[in-house]
Amino acid sequence: MSEPDGRLVCTDVKLRFGGIVALDGVHMTVEPREVVGIIGPNGSGKTSLINVLSGYYRPTSGSVVFDGRRIDRHRPQELRRRGIARVFQNLRLYNGLTVLENMELGLVQDMSSALGVVRATCGSIVGRRQTKLRGTARERASALLSENGFGALAAIRVGSLSYGQRKELELLRAIIEPPRLLLLDEPTSGVAHSDADVIKERLLAWQAQFGFAVVIVEHRLGWLFDVAHRVVALSSGTLLAEGSPEEVAADPVVRSAYVGS
Ligand SMILES: Nc1ncnc2c1ncn2[C@@H]1O[C@H](COP(=O)(O)OP(=O)(O)O)[C@@H](O)[C@H]1O
Ligand SMILES: [Mg+2]
């Protein structure tokens, strides 16, 4: 254990699935408020790294330290309490519930037990014991929705939103309780170019407002290079290159790894 410093430090992180080596000795540091982009070809370990940082996978060896404490044995729920929020590549919204209900669920899920999550998924939104929580959650959710152009949509079912709006809503849900570190896996996958630009502007505004650090996996390199302070390139589970967006974009090793893609 070291001094609390708000940093995320991965040291020699390895992750194996049988004979498959998903991460092969990753060293990476993310400073408070820093925005770090992760790039790499398919199968290079980007999602695995996000899964390790968010507690969904346990590294086979190596360590992950956040704010001075080892976190690589913690579950996602515990990490959310410590300030690490994660957004999945595929949407995890409830289409039959309204925009506001989905927002509330984001917070309730983050704070409740696995049983609460199951109950929530089954449709009975929150149990009696969570009523109090729901009050504050509702206030914060409503404020965030109206600040971000969703005010008029609060009572609309999520199923009738556009795909871009749903991706945006999922990001909003992750920051309802502002994290210290936000982990995003392909936040613009499947969205139109114009929607990707909206998501970029919103993300930059929230990052400035709340001051969290961000780790983003993203295939749209131009988009990512606009947002990231630093870029890490992975290949076969190891760091191929690291530096400013300009440095990584100009790196001959990175360029050759991207030839033909
Ligand atoms: N749960 C898992 N079980 C087995 N293999 C996995 C699992 N998760 C990831 N992998 C493997 O780890 C490697 C890296 O995958 P992934 O992290 O998803 O790459 P990326 O996100 O860069 O496309 C791949 O070979 C993938 O098949
Ligand atoms: Mg992936």
Side-chain angles (χ1 to χ4, degrees), residues 2-9 29-32 65-69 180:
S2 43
E3 289 296 304
D5 55 6
R7 303 166 92 200
L8 176 83
V9 182
T29 301
V30 180
E31 302 291 340
V65 170
F66 180 60
D67 203 22
R69 288 165 178 245
R180 291 197 289 157

Coordinates of all heavy atoms in Angstrom, one line a residue, residues 2-9 29-32 65-69 180:
S2 N 0.5 2.3 -0.8 CA 1.2 3.5 -0.8 C 0.3 4.7 -0.4 O -0.9 4.5 -0.1 CB 1.9 3.7 -2.2 OG 1.0 3.4 -3.2
E3 N 0.8 5.9 -0.5 CA 0.0 7.1 -0.1 C -1.2 7.2 -1.1 O -1.0 7.0 -2.3 CB 0.9 8.3 -0.2 CG 2.0 8.4 0.8 CD 1.3 8.5 2.2 OE1 0.5 9.5 2.4 OE2 1.6 7.7 3.1
P4 N -2.3 7.7 -0.6 CA -3.4 8.0 -1.5 C -3.0 9.1 -2.5 O -2.5 10.1 -2.0 CB -4.6 8.4 -0.6 CG -4.2 8.0 0.8 CD -2.7 7.9 0.8
D5 N -3.1 8.9 -3.8 CA -2.6 10.0 -4.7 C -3.6 10.1 -5.9 O -3.3 10.9 -6.8 CB -1.2 9.6 -5.2 CG -1.1 8.2 -5.8 OD1 -2.2 7.6 -5.9 OD2 0.0 7.8 -6.1
G6 N -4.7 9.3 -5.9 CA -5.6 9.4 -7.0 C -5.2 8.7 -8.3 O -5.9 8.8 -9.3
R7 N -4.0 8.1 -8.2 CA -3.5 7.5 -9.5 C -3.9 6.1 -9.6 O -4.1 5.4 -8.6 CB -2.0 7.5 -9.5 CG -1.3 8.8 -9.3 CD 0.2 8.6 -9.0 NE 1.0 8.7 -10.2 CZ 2.2 8.2 -10.3 NH1 2.7 7.5 -9.3 NH2 2.9 8.2 -11.4
L8 N -4.0 5.6 -10.9 CA -4.2 4.2 -11.2 C -2.8 3.7 -11.7 O -2.2 4.3 -12.6 CB -5.2 4.1 -12.3 CG -5.4 2.6 -12.7 CD1 -6.4 1.9 -11.8 CD2 -5.9 2.6 -14.1
V9 N -2.3 2.6 -11.1 CA -1.0 2.1 -11.5 C -1.2 0.6 -11.7 O -1.4 -0.2 -10.8 CB 0.1 2.4 -10.4 CG1 1.4 1.8 -10.9 CG2 0.1 3.8 -10.1
T29 N 0.1 3.8 -16.1 CA -0.3 4.7 -15.1 C -1.3 5.7 -15.6 O -1.1 6.2 -16.7 CB 0.9 5.4 -14.5 OG1 1.9 4.5 -14.0 CG2 0.6 6.4 -13.4
V30 N -2.3 6.0 -14.8 CA -3.3 7.0 -15.2 C -3.3 8.0 -14.1 O -3.6 7.7 -12.9 CB -4.7 6.5 -15.5 CG1 -5.6 7.6 -15.9 CG2 -4.7 5.4 -16.5
E31 N -3.0 9.3 -14.4 CA -3.0 10.3 -13.4 C -4.4 10.9 -13.1 O -5.2 10.7 -14.0 CB -2.1 11.5 -13.8 CG -0.6 11.1 -14.2 CD 0.2 10.8 -12.9 OE1 -0.2 11.1 -11.8 OE2 1.2 10.1 -13.1
P32 N -4.6 11.5 -11.9 CA -5.9 12.1 -11.7 C -6.2 13.1 -12.9 O -5.3 13.8 -13.3 CB -5.8 12.8 -10.4 CG -4.6 12.2 -9.7 CD -3.7 11.7 -10.8
V65 N -3.2 -0.8 -8.6 CA -3.3 0.0 -7.5 C -4.1 1.3 -7.8 O -3.8 1.9 -8.9 CB -1.9 0.4 -6.9 CG1 -2.0 1.4 -5.8 CG2 -1.2 -0.9 -6.4
F66 N -5.1 1.6 -7.1 CA -5.8 2.9 -7.3 C -5.9 3.7 -6.0 O -6.2 3.1 -5.0 CB -7.3 2.6 -7.8 CG -8.1 3.8 -8.0 CD1 -7.7 4.7 -9.0 CD2 -9.3 4.1 -7.3 CE1 -8.4 5.9 -9.3 CE2 -10.0 5.2 -7.6 CZ -9.6 6.1 -8.6
D67 N -5.4 4.9 -6.1 CA -5.4 5.8 -4.9 C -4.6 5.1 -3.8 O -5.0 5.2 -2.6 CB -6.8 6.1 -4.5 CG -6.9 7.4 -3.7 OD1 -5.9 8.2 -3.8 OD2 -7.8 7.6 -2.9
G68 N -3.5 4.4 -4.1 CA -2.7 3.9 -3.0 C -3.0 2.5 -2.5 O -2.4 1.9 -1.7
R69 N -4.1 1.9 -3.1 CA -4.6 0.6 -2.6 C -4.7 -0.4 -3.7 O -5.1 -0.1 -4.8 CB -6.0 0.7 -1.9 CG -6.0 1.4 -0.6 CD -7.4 1.7 -0.3 NE -7.5 2.4 1.0 CZ -8.0 1.9 2.1 NH1 -8.6 0.7 2.0 NH2 -8.0 2.5 3.2
R180 N -14.3 8.9 -10.0 CA -12.9 9.5 -10.0 C -12.2 9.0 -11.3 O -11.3 9.6 -11.7 CB -12.2 9.2 -8.8 CG -12.8 10.0 -7.6 CD -11.8 10.0 -6.4 NE -11.7 8.7 -5.8 CZ -10.6 8.3 -5.1 NH1 -9.6 9.2 -4.9 NH2 -10.6 7.2 -4.6

